[in-house]
Amino acid sequence: MQPFVYTALPARVVFGFGTAKQVAHEVARLGCSRALVLTTPQQVAAGEQVQADLGDLNVGIYSKAAMHTPLEVTLDALAQAKALDADCCVAVGGGSTIGLAKALALHSPDSAKLKIVAIPTTYAGSEATPIIGQTEIGKDGKPLKTTQKTMKVLPEVIVYDVDLTLTLSPQMTVISGLNAIAHAVEALWAVEANPIISTLAVQGIEAIARSLLLIKADSQSKDGRADALFGAWACGTCLGACHTLGGSFNMPHAETHTVILPHAVAYNAPFAADAVSRVAKALGVANAAQGLYDLSKENGAPYSLKSLGFKEEDLERAAEIAARAPYPNPAPLVKEKLLVLLRNAYEGVRPS
């Protein structure tokens, strides 16, 4: 056994069926009494149900959460939280809503930090991480997404309610699931990898791969949905993700990860053979990159950047941004090689 360092994340996890009904208990348990519910415009109905479950602990709802956590949305939500004297927020939804909750915690003063109760409705995994990505307009007038890691944004409580995921469409299920797998893959080859997180990453990949087969056969499969949600938590706990394409080019986060993942695995395979071998074994395939590509394509998920609306003329700039990324990567981040990766992803070529 090699020496390692492992830092456990101190979030409370409540997992099961119908657990969202416990939200008032969880808010009170935190010592909070003025909860602001957060949603996207599309999930107001789910947010209103949580408001009802909160009862007298609810002070309002903010329903403008947006993809890539734009700074202007965060500041608007923060103003509403202050006006309502909120002491916590309950985020109901996927990565966009939970990202907003994290941003509110980050931008609130340490002495009055907004606590977070996250109720995920997708398999994004953001709720399990101390990582936040934010988008603002750069000096060149173009959107630029930056990420940071800080325990201040880690939700205090995560309430996983399998019932809330039963209506997630089959396509969004596989997109969200592969996005979660991307987090686990990165954890397996990360510089700070350790046997505890690696074991959790493999468990997460296995659970999601297993769940996709069950959900494809029956979208209401409770076993499949429970496996997927557990896998999302396991993979999210391992997260150390890159958000270059999403924030800088306004691309959908989960869909972009789904497309890029097989090509990133192929790119890093020569420099992370053990990690990539573990991914292949967890998926039950001989070649991890090809297995991930096939899993996406065969389940109706996008497998090319072109299909997501990415512009071919932006490939060069994307390669430049990726090559400047500050995070460690198994393979050297060489612009010319990254451009090949991105072009293959743009065209939807199956990794060789």
Side-chain angles (χ1 to χ4, degrees):
M1 178 66 68
Q2 295 295 317
F4 67 90
V5 174
Y6 170 63
T7 302
L9 300 179
R12 171 178 165 86
V13 176
V14 180
F15 189 102
F17 294 84
T19 49
K21 295 294 183 184
Q22 301 176 31
V23 64
H25 170 76
E26 294 301 328
V27 167
R29 187 177 177 278
L30 288 175
C32 297
S33 60
R34 301 185 63 79
L36 175 64
V37 176
L38 307 177
T39 73
T40 61
Q42 295 77 25
Q43 292 189 297
V44 172
E48 289 174 342
Q49 179 58 57
V50 170
Q51 284 186 285
D53 292 335
L54 282 166
D56 293 340
L57 298 180
N58 168 65
V59 296
I61 185 170
Y62 183 87
S63 58
K64 300 177 186 177
M67 189 170 62
H68 305 309
T69 323
L71 182 59
E72 63 269 22
V73 173
T74 298
L75 296 178
D76 184 49
L78 192 61
Q80 181 168 332
K82 288 180 178 178
L84 294 170
D85 195 26
D87 55 12
C88 72
C89 52
V90 179
V92 187
S96 296
T97 305
I98 292 166
L100 175 59
K102 290 173 148 185
L104 293 182
L106 180 68
H107 290 279
S108 59
D110 291 341
S111 58
K113 184 240 175 195
L114 283 172
K115 295 181 179 178
I116 303 171
V117 176
I119 306 179
T121 58
T122 71
Y123 310 126
S126 173
E127 69 281 351
T129 82
I131 297 172
I132 179 171
Q134 300 181 99
T135 305
E136 55 186 309
I137 302 302
K139 294 179 180 178
D140 59 359
K142 297 179 180 178
L144 179 66
K145 189 167 186 177
T146 58
T147 63
Q148 60 177 295
K149 185 174 183 179
T150 167
M151 295 300 291
K152 188 176 180 181
V153 306
L154 187 72
E156 279 73 18
V157 181
I158 310 168
V159 178
Y160 287 110
D161 187 338
V162 180
D163 290 338
L164 296 182
T165 67
L166 292 176
T167 57
L168 195 63
S169 72
Q171 185 185 47
M172 274 310 301
T173 294
V174 68
I175 289 171
S176 190
L178 283 166
N179 179 43
I181 286 177
H183 305 155
V185 171
E186 289 188 58
L188 285 170
W189 64 44
V191 172
E192 63 271 24
N194 64 72
I196 299 169
I197 287 297
S198 294
T199 299
L200 196 58
V202 170
Q203 275 190 295
I205 294 171
E206 289 174 341
I208 290 177
R210 183 172 61 244
S211 76
L212 293 181
L213 294 175
L214 294 171
I215 294 168
K216 187 176 183 179
D218 174 13
S219 65
Q220 299 291 300
S221 168
K222 291 200 169 186
D223 285 341
R225 294 294 181 178
D227 273 347
L229 203 54
F230 167 77
W233 170 76
C235 293
T237 301
C238 304
L239 174 61
C242 163
H243 304 271
T244 295
L245 290 181
S248 299
F249 298 94
N250 198 33
M251 296 288 288
H253 174 86
E255 289 88 340
T256 302
H257 258 180
T258 298
V259 172
I260 291 292
L261 177 59
H263 302 281
V265 169
Y267 184 92
N268 284 300
F271 296 84
D274 181 64
V276 172
S277 175
R278 288 190 183 199
V279 175
K281 185 176 181 181
L283 293 171
V285 298
N287 183 292
Q290 293 176 352
L292 290 164
Y293 177 93
D294 294 342
L295 191 62
S296 178
K297 188 174 182 179
E298 291 169 5
N299 283 279
Y303 56 91
S304 74
L305 291 177
K306 184 190 296 184
S307 70
L308 297 180
F310 192 82
K311 298 176 182 178
E312 187 173 10
E313 58 266 29
D314 286 334
L315 289 172
E316 185 90 14
R317 179 169 171 249
E320 289 178 0
I321 293 173
R324 297 198 305 265
Y327 62 88
N329 190 71
L333 296 175
V334 180
K335 178 189 169 184
E336 292 73 18
K337 293 183 178 180
L338 288 168
L339 186 56
V340 172
L341 179 159
L342 289 169
R343 187 164 294 282
N344 286 338
Y346 175 79
E347 296 292 349
V349 176
R350 188 173 189 256
S352 59

